[in-house]
């Protein structure tokens, strides 16, 4: 990968949160930054942040679930900027639900954006990253290593991302491309608001799962209100993304906080799954 200031990075899902913060951080570092989003009328916050930081961005449309949008955007970036040195697969969406209360369409929709969206963008970007000996970095989650209650579809998609990328990493390396994933724990962003979850309505319709959902919601609220589990800011996560993008060798898996490191570490050494289940069963009142 070029180490000069002419490096070009493309980031998905930059209308808010981690994607927005990462776009501004990349531009601050002197990279040509292509900040993509599925609806550019939602670029107000990004434009304001860029103006405050005194940086300029190339803002383009890219919907990770629309193959034509992905290919048109990435090919035009490579043609117009002449190179693509890094892609940050950031776009993603929360989904709260459980097997019996979700439709298959709900589950497919979550996997479509959180897994196939990543695959689609990576597929289109790979020839350009190969040309630049570039980097392919995906924002996964601690939920890519640990299955969490009422996050079945979301965690399945993030596990799939990690399995896909860990399998791709050695192959991509043979053609000069470094592949990695970032695992944040809770982060302050639009993530929860964008999921449009009405917990009270969900509980009312949860049938036999109502007690578990109530316990899960109460635990989540209590952690946010107490100091434990205080979320990181998007800027803090973006700083870790920058470290990883500019490290001489990109690690495959990077947690963004001590909390995330402890949690993922527990799962990776939990051969029979009892440690993680011991923890997550307590989240649903068991
Ligand atoms: N927040 C957390 O606690 C947390 C923890 C671990 C990992 N993560 C991961 O971090 C990444 C960023 O999330 P965030 O926390 O920054 O949440 P966020 O503020 O909701 O940002 C998500 C971004 O993804 C975009 N997006 C959704 N569907 C899209 C699509 N089909 N095509 C293109 N963009 C799309 C959203 O755009 P719109 O404005 O168009 O909806 C938004 O810009 C996600 O992959 C998420 O899974 C988040």
């Amino acid at each position: 990968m070029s180490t000069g200031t002419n490096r070009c990075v493309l980031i998905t899902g930059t209308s808010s949160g981690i994607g927005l913060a990462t776009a501004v951080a990349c531009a601050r570092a002197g990279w040509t930054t292509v900040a993509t989003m599925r609806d550019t009328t939602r670029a107000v916050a990004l434009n304001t942040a860029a103006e405050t930081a005194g940086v300029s961005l190339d803002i383009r449309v890219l919907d990770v679930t629309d193959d034509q949008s992905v290919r048109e955007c990435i090919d035009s970036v490579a043609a117009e900027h002449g190179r693509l040195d890094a892609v940050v697969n950031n776009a993603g969406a929360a989904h709260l639900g459980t097997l019996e209360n979700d439709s298959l369409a709900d589950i497919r929709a979550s996997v479509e954006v959180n897994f196939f969206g990543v695959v689609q963008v990576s597929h289109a970007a790979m020839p350009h990253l190969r040309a630049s000996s570039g980097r392919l970095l995906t924002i996964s989650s601690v939920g890519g290593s640990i299955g969490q209650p009422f996050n079945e579809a979301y965690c399945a998609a993030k596990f799939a991302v990690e399995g896909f990328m860990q399998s791709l990493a050695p192959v991509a390396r043979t053609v000069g491309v470094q592949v990695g994933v970032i695992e944040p724990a809770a982060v302050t962003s639009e993530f929860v608001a964008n999921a449009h979850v009405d917990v009270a309505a969900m509980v009312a319709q949860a049938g036999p799962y109502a007690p578990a959902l109530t316990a899960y919601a109460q635990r989540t609220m209590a952690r946010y209100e107490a100091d434990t589990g205080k979320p990181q800011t998007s800027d803090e996560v973006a700083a870790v993304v920058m470290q990883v993008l500019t490290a001489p060798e990109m690690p495959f898996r990077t947690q963004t906080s001590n909390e995330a490191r402890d949690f993922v570490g527990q799962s990776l050494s939990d051969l029979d799954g009892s440690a993680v289940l011991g923890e997550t069963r307590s989240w649903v009142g068991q």
Side-chain angles (χ1 to χ4, degrees), residues 15-16 18 38 42 63-64 90 154 158 185 187 189-190 194:
S15 66
S16 60
I18 298 168
R38 58 182 163 170
R42 289 171 61 80
D63 181 336
V64 300
N90 165 77
Y154 176 75
K158 292 294 191 184
V187 181
S189 66
E190 300 307 310
N194 278 340

Side-chain angles (χ1 to χ4, degrees), residues 9 11 14-36 43-59 234-235 238-239 241-242:
V9 59
I11 304 152
T14 61
S15 66
S16 60
I18 298 168
L20 184 157
T22 300
V24 173
C26 286
R28 265 204 172 116
W31 293 45
T32 298
T33 302
V34 182
T36 71
V44 178
L46 178 63
N47 277 322
T48 304
E51 211 176 296
T52 305
V55 295
S56 65
L57 300 168
D58 176 358
I59 299 176
S234 295
D235 285 337
V241 171
M242 285 311 297

Side-chain angles (χ1 to χ4, degrees), residues 23-196:
V24 173
C26 286
R28 265 204 172 116
W31 293 45
T32 298
T33 302
V34 182
T36 71
M37 60 188 72
R38 58 182 163 170
D39 175 3
T40 49
T41 65
R42 289 171 61 80
V44 178
L46 178 63
N47 277 322
T48 304
E51 211 176 296
T52 305
V55 295
S56 65
L57 300 168
D58 176 358
I59 299 176
R60 297 186 185 218
V61 176
L62 189 158
D63 181 336
V64 300
T65 64
D66 176 345
D67 187 41
Q68 194 182 344
S69 151
V70 169
R71 289 201 180 270
E72 276 174 12
C73 180
I74 291 179
D75 289 345
S76 68
V77 165
E80 288 166 39
H81 291 294
R83 57 185 308 125
L84 183 58
D85 297 276
V87 166
V88 181
N89 282 309
N90 165 77
H95 175 72
L96 204 63
T98 192
L99 180 61
E100 276 197 89
N101 297 353
D102 267 341
S103 66
L104 278 186
D106 293 333
I107 294 168
R108 284 205 168 99
S110 178
V111 174
E112 193 62 41
V113 61
N114 290 304
F115 174 61
F116 284 111
V118 168
V119 173
Q120 200 139 261
V121 170
S122 305
H123 196 272
M126 202 61 187
H128 306 296
L129 295 176
R130 201 158 34 77
S132 64
S133 299
R135 296 185 178 195
L136 178 63
L137 185 61
T138 301
I139 312 298
S140 175
S141 165
V142 293
S145 282
I146 302 136
Q148 295 168 52
F150 296 103
N151 279 273
E152 294 142 24
Y154 176 75
C155 288
K158 292 294 191 184
F159 268 64
V161 161
E162 297 214 5
F164 192 96
M165 291 301 169
Q166 197 168 33
S167 303
L168 173 64
V171 180
R173 197 55 204 251
T174 66
V175 292
V177 178
Q178 296 187 43
V179 173
V181 297
I182 299 279
E183 297 180 320
V187 181
T188 49
S189 66
E190 300 307 310
F191 193 61
V192 174
N194 278 340
H196 305 294

